[in-house]
């Protein structure tokens, strides 16, 4: 299967790392040309380091240290480009494989590991400034698009966008996939976003497969056109091109923050690995297809581009070392993770006291204590 | 002597008491906003929000697109942004498109955030039968929500409770499913605007009696009182308890009553299988077993879909069906 590319697709970086922009990319070129060498190297570093982490997490699952792992392998450019386009005051709502988005915003990767190890349903506090307004992973497909829209409504109602001060104006970016795009919640979120002109970007990573169901079954039209039907200006970008992903996200977020209403982006990418570690993609897709996408790998593309610009061996060696260090650190800290106290099961079910929860907490304490007494 | 400064009680139908409760909460905090289908200019299909948009504006009383999941889902986001949304679901049978957002999202997000996030969202649902409506307009979905940890579920049966419980629900840091017995919207009662009589989660004895404890919630409280009056004429003294809070249940007054009467009947419109009546009867049997002279009996809607309206009189328990159960309890 090949992706359904629209003539309106924005791409600036060809698979061989050369700059070869599509016609639709023309308006975005000034943004890309303004990027410094440090910015470009930052993008590459983000992508390469998270891939090392992602591989380590997959290994940890294989070794029984995690219950499940949803790999981000192959989708790094879409995620890095969009997350780097966000400003510190923006809120980000991931679905469940936006590992590098979380990392860029400051979330400790171990907090994601904790979720997959069965130690928490959340693991980080989105409202703690160190986590960069990154909200929790959501496993029910598309549910978070409504939460993102509601938060964006609150920004619009409170006048926290469209003031003309880009340092202060806020926006929301919400991530979901081609599978989630079939969910009613996504459409309802878009309707509400359009109705209330929310400062919000819907960022769809079309990775071509909703577990085993291809996007061709999900949609007869390029998915970005659905946004247009609802009245949301929408665009399709090569999600394996970090520069294009950055530029379109930057423009969409700027427009949203400026009070121009919601925007939608469909990033054409590919899930190179399994849906999760429980999945077996060899049952539903061909080696030829995987190979064709491997040739469009987002990291290799950027590596060739940077090489062409004269990036040093030392830079690439340093990135590789950083990836290895993160992976090693995560492995060490994962196996050392604490276990939970049984009473934690009752914590935070409600924000205020609840007699049934209190009763059961007390019962469990007595029950556990009875074994201790018996042993003494 | 009464306090001359205290405002005098006023008489209102339940729908207006709910309206007055929301109005007062909105006056006290500009973070309270209402959202739902047709609640603005129309004032809701039952006119419960009538006049509020005119007084508070379109940003405080929001006529939303017709999408129940989005009403609840965006209310979650609005609560994350510091608002206290009060959502109206137009009819009980329309709540199911929002089921994931209520039970899997709203109910769990404080837990998932490990306490870092509170979700003060109220979801108002006009519920129950007795209005002769068409399919999906007369249902009693309370068990789905009482079964879900993280939600609080309440249902007022009087104008005073409607007024105060609405304000208490809005003030709650937890999500509250607020079930409005729609057949009672037009029933008037005295509202003491000076102070609430009870906390949000208290149950209340509404009629004293000595022979049987009869517990009910929502519209069925009125039917229970009717049954108790009829029983009295036949020489049976029935104590009636209004549950008020369906989750958590305030067992204190119920258990005290059962220990005095030795018999209990639960009356509800909802189907009986795995229902509030089942749960409360099991708990009473666990905690007051030696006080019971008879098994706890349940009177409920049948275990069928809510029938066509012309059959609702058969489906919904009336005073006679309650009295039949009271008689059975007394026969042990």
């Amino acid at each position: 299967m090949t992706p359904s590319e629209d003539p309106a697709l924005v791409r600036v970086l060809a698979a061989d790392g050369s700059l070869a922009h599509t016609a639709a990319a023309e308006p975005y070129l000034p943004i890309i040309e303004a990027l410094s060498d440090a910015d470009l190297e930052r993008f590459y570093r983000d992508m390469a380091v998270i891939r090392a982490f992602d591989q380590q997490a997959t290994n940890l699952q294989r070794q029984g240290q995690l219950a499940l792992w949803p790999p981000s392998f192959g989708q790094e450019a879409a995620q890095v480009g969009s997350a780097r386009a966000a400003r510190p005051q923006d809120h980000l709502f991931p679905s469940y494989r936006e590992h590098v988005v979380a990392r860029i915003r400051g979330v400790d990767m171990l907090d994601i590991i904790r979720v997959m190890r069965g130690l928490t349903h959340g693991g980080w506090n989105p409202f703690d400034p160190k986590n960069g307004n990154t909200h929790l992973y959501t496993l029910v497909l598309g549910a978070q698009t409504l939460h993102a829209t509601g938060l964006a409504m609150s920004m619009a109602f409170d006048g926290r966008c469209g003031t003309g001060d880009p340092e202060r104006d806020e926006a929301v970016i919400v991530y979901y996939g081609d599978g989630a795009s079939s969910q009613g919640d996504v459409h309802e979120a878009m309707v509400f976003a359009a109705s209330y002109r929310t400062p919000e970007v819907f960022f769809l990573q079309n990775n071509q497969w909703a577990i085993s169901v291809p996007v061709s079954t999900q949609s007869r039209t390029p998915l970005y056109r659905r946004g247009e039907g609802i009245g949301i200006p929408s665009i399709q970008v090569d999600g394996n091109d970090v520069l294009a992903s950055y530029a379109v996200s930057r423009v969409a977020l700027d427009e949203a923050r400026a009070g121009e209403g919601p925007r939608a982006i469909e990033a054409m990418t590919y899930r190179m690995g399994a849906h999760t570690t429980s999945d077996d993609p060899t049952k539903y897709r061909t080696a030829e297809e995987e190979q064709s996408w491997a040739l469009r790998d987002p990291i290799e593309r950027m590596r060739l581009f940077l090489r062409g610009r004269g990036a040093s061996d030392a830079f690439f060696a340093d990135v590789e070392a950083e990836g290895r260090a993160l992976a090693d650190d995560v492995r060490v800290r994962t196996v050392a993770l604490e276990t939970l106290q049984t009473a934690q099961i009752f914590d935070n079910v409600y924000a205020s006291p609840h007699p049934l929860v209190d009763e059961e907490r007390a019962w469990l304490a007595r029950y556990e204590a009875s074994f201790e007494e018996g042993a003494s | 002597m009464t306090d001359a400064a205290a405002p005098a009680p006023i008489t209102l139908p339940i729908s207006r008491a709910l309206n007055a409760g929301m109005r007062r909460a909105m006056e006290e905090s500009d973070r309270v906003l209402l959202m739902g289908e047709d609640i603005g200019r129309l004032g809701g299909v039952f006119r419960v929000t009538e006049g509020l948009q005119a007084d508070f504006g379109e940003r405080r009383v929001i006529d939303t697109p017709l999408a129940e999941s989005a009403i609840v889902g965006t209310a979650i986001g609005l609560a994350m942004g510091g608002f206290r949304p009060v959502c109206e679901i137009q009819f009980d049978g329309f709540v199911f498109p929002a089921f994931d957002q209520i039970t899997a999202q709203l109910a769990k997000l404080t837990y998932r955030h490990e306490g870092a996030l509170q979700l003060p969202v109220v979801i108002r649902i006009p519920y129950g039968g007795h209005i002769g409506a068409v399919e999906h307009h007369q249902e009693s979905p309370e068990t789905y929500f009482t079964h879900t940890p993280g939600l609080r579920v309440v249902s007022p049966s009087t104008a005073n409770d409607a007024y105060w419980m609405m304000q208490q629900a809005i003030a709650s840091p937890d999500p509250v499913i607020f079930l409005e017995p729609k057949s009672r919207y037009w029933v008037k009662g005295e509202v003491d605007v000076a102070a609430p009589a009870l906390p949000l989660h208290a149950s209340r004895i509404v009629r004293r009696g000595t022979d049987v404890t009869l517990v009910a919630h929502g519209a069925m409280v009125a039917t229970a009182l009717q049954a108790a009056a009829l029983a009295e004429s036949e020489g049976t003294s029935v104590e009636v308890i209004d549950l008020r809070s369906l989750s958590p249940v305030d067992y204190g007054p119920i258990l005290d009553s059962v220990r005095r009467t030795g018999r209990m009947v639960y009356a509800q419109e909802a189907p009986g299988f795995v229902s509030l009546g089942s749960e409360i009867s099991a708990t009473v049997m666990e905690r007051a077993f030696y006080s019971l002279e008879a098994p706890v009996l349940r009177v409920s809607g049948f275990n069928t879909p809510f029938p066509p309206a012309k059959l609702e009189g058969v489906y919904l328990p009336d005073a006679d069906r309650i009295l039949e159960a009271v008689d059975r309890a007394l026969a042990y």
Side-chain angles (χ1 to χ4, degrees):
Chain A
M1 198 193 74
T2 54
S4 58
E5 282 187 0
D6 198 273
L9 177 118
V10 176
R11 176 196 294 126
V12 296
L13 204 53
D16 64 3
S18 63
L19 281 173
H21 67 82
T22 58
E26 199 76 41
Y28 297 97
L29 296 179
I31 292 173
I32 292 162
E33 285 157 6
L35 291 165
S36 67
D37 283 345
D39 292 330
L40 298 171
E41 290 184 357
R42 181 77 255 173
F43 291 164
Y44 177 82
R45 187 181 291 270
D46 286 338
M47 294 193 292
V49 169
I50 210 69
R51 187 170 286 185
F53 159 79
D54 190 62
Q55 185 58 53
Q56 178 69 285
T58 302
N59 294 345
L60 284 165
Q61 194 282 332
R62 294 287 181 237
Q63 292 155 14
Q65 295 291 336
L66 305 181
L68 186 77
W69 186 251
S72 58
F73 181 28
Q75 297 180 219
E76 295 90 348
Q79 296 183 7
V80 167
S82 55
R84 284 288 173 200
R87 285 176 174 266
Q89 69 269 29
D90 294 338
H91 281 253
L92 295 82
F93 284 77
S95 50
Y96 50 76
R97 67 170 91 246
E98 283 70 34
H99 313 316
V100 71
V101 172
R103 182 161 194 267
I104 285 170
R105 301 296 289 192
V107 175
D108 184 345
M109 292 295 92
L110 213 67
D111 283 338
I112 296 172
I113 292 282
R114 278 193 187 93
V115 177
M116 302 299 165
R117 195 171 161 88
L119 292 167
T120 173
H121 289 324
W124 69 91
N125 176 1
F127 307 96
D128 184 327
K130 76 179 185 191
N131 295 317
N133 300 328
T134 310
H135 290 256
L136 301 183
Y137 279 13
T138 304
L139 302 185
V140 176
L141 290 183
Q144 80 282 7
T145 60
L146 286 170
H147 310 161
T149 301
L151 185 64
M153 284 166 70
S154 82
M155 291 171 176
F157 293 176
D158 281 339
R160 290 189 279 143
C161 61
T163 68
D165 179 358
E167 299 303 321
R168 211 178 45 165
D169 283 337
E170 298 176 29
V172 167
I173 181 167
V174 59
Y175 294 87
Y176 62 105
D178 47 299
S181 73
S182 296
Q183 290 279 354
D185 276 1
V186 173
H187 296 85
E188 294 190 19
M190 285 188 155
V191 169
F192 271 52
S195 296
Y196 301 106
R197 289 180 61 81
T198 55
E200 179 177 14
V201 174
F202 290 87
F203 195 90
L204 159 60
Q205 291 170 82
N206 180 350
N207 71 12
Q208 312 303 322
W209 290 94
I211 305 189
S212 68
V213 180
V215 71
S216 56
T217 303
Q218 305 279 342
S219 183
R220 301 294 181 218
T221 60
L223 286 166
Y224 79 97
R225 291 194 193 162
R226 291 188 184 173
E228 289 175 353
I230 290 171
I232 298 177
S234 306
I235 196 164
Q236 192 183 55
V237 65
D238 184 334
N240 282 11
D241 174 350
V242 70
L243 303 182
S245 296
Y246 170 79
V248 298
S249 304
R250 171 77 188 270
V251 169
L253 279 164
D254 284 350
E255 289 171 348
R257 247 183 256 107
E260 294 175 32
R263 298 289 186 267
I265 296 168
E266 179 193 10
M268 303 298 285
T269 183
Y270 192 71
R271 161 167 56 78
M272 285 165 65
H275 166 69
T276 69
T277 42
S278 299
D279 177 30
D280 178 5
T282 66
K283 287 190 183 298
Y284 55 82
R285 63 189 193 187
T286 64
E288 291 74 27
E289 179 190 312
E290 291 179 1
Q291 186 55 31
S292 78
W293 277 97
L295 294 172
R296 283 175 274 175
D297 183 273
I299 297 179
E300 180 62 9
R301 185 183 304 197
M302 193 60 180
R303 193 184 68 79
L304 292 169
F305 171 67
L306 291 177
R307 275 281 185 214
R309 288 172 61 95
S312 67
D313 288 344
F315 165 71
F316 290 108
D318 187 55
V319 170
E320 197 184 332
E322 185 179 334
R324 208 166 39 238
L326 174 65
D328 290 349
D329 177 58
V330 162
R331 165 169 290 279
V332 169
R333 291 165 69 207
T334 297
V335 296
L337 275 171
E338 75 284 5
T339 53
L340 300 174
Q341 300 297 310
T342 53
Q344 280 177 251
I345 203 169
F346 301 107
D347 292 346
N348 305 307
V349 181
Y350 293 89
S352 50
H354 189 284
L356 182 57
V357 175
D358 293 344
E359 235 170 65
E360 291 189 336
R361 183 191 287 110
W363 179 88
L364 182 63
R366 285 196 306 274
Y367 179 70
E368 290 185 328
S370 72
F371 292 106
E372 285 164 25
E373 283 159 16
S376 62
Chain B
M1 289 293 288
T2 53
D3 180 355
I10 53 175
T11 300
L12 289 174
I14 286 179
S15 62
R16 301 309 300 170
L18 292 165
N19 181 291
M22 283 186 274
R23 174 181 292 278
R24 187 157 165 184
M26 293 179 82
E27 284 166 352
E28 284 172 4
S29 167
D30 63 7
R31 304 310 284 174
V32 177
L33 56 80
L34 314 185
M35 56 196 296
E37 298 160 9
D38 306 305
I39 67 166
R41 272 180 292 182
L42 180 66
V45 292
F46 291 103
R47 312 290 185 271
V48 174
T49 55
E50 197 165 46
L52 295 175
Q53 190 182 64
D55 293 344
F56 292 97
E58 291 182 3
R59 275 290 163 267
R60 301 284 306 280
V61 182
I62 305 167
D63 269 327
T64 65
L66 275 68
E68 284 79 10
S69 186
I71 291 169
V72 177
T74 57
I76 290 170
L78 282 159
M80 288 175 173
F83 283 94
R84 302 183 89 88
V86 182
C87 307
E88 177 176 303
I89 300 294
Q90 201 158 63
F91 280 93
D92 35 46
F94 302 165
V95 74
F96 300 107
F99 199 69
D100 171 68
Q101 287 295 338
I102 296 175
T103 58
Q105 310 297 325
L106 179 63
K108 291 185 177 175
L109 278 165
T110 294
Y111 197 65
R112 292 186 56 219
H113 282 82
E114 297 174 356
L117 174 66
Q118 297 186 350
L119 286 166
V121 176
V122 176
I123 300 178
R124 299 178 37 233
I125 310 174
Y127 84 115
H130 285 297
I131 64 163
V134 294
E135 192 182 17
H136 306 306
H137 288 66
Q138 304 221 82
E139 296 173 14
S140 295
E142 55 264 41
T143 306
Y144 299 108
F145 305 115
T146 55
H147 190 67
T148 302
L151 299 176
R152 295 174 180 273
V153 186
V154 301
S155 182
S157 71
T158 66
N160 194 57
D161 275 350
Y163 178 76
W164 282 112
M165 288 170 76
M166 176 58 71
Q167 294 173 67
Q168 291 165 330
I170 293 170
S172 168
D174 287 308
V176 178
I177 308 296
F178 197 96
L179 295 165
E180 300 173 1
K182 65 170 99 78
S183 63
R184 307 282 296 166
Y185 271 146
W186 304 279
V187 176
K188 290 182 178 175
E190 200 170 80
V191 175
D192 179 357
V193 293
L198 288 171
L200 183 60
H201 295 294
S203 57
R204 179 183 56 203
I205 296 172
V206 290
R207 180 191 170 108
R208 289 281 175 186
T210 53
D211 298 334
V212 178
T213 300
L214 175 57
V215 188
H217 65 271
M220 196 54 73
V221 175
T223 316
L225 285 168
Q226 229 178 16
L230 287 168
E232 189 178 31
S233 67
E234 294 168 4
T236 303
S237 172
V238 176
E239 180 146 298
V240 179
I241 296 180
D242 179 358
L243 198 59
R244 296 177 79 252
S245 174
L246 285 49
S247 177
V249 171
D250 175 18
Y251 280 105
I254 299 171
L255 292 169
D256 287 348
S257 176
V258 169
R259 288 182 183 119
R260 279 185 274 109
T261 64
R263 291 175 170 81
M264 177 179 147
V265 173
Y266 197 96
Q268 63 190 12
E269 294 186 20
F273 184 74
V274 193
S275 64
L276 213 59
S278 317
E279 175 61 31
I280 291 174
S281 108
T283 301
V284 167
M285 286 194 267
E286 280 180 2
R287 299 190 189 176
F289 183 73
Y290 290 107
S291 302
L292 286 168
E293 303 288 341
V296 177
L297 299 177
R298 285 166 292 159
V299 186
S300 69
F302 296 114
N303 293 297
T304 67
F306 197 92
K310 297 296 182 195
L311 287 173
E312 73 170 337
V314 181
Y315 175 89
L316 293 166
D318 59 7
D320 284 339
R321 265 170 58 191
I322 292 173
L323 287 174
E324 188 273 339
V326 166
D327 287 345
R328 268 193 291 139
L330 287 166
Y332 278 89

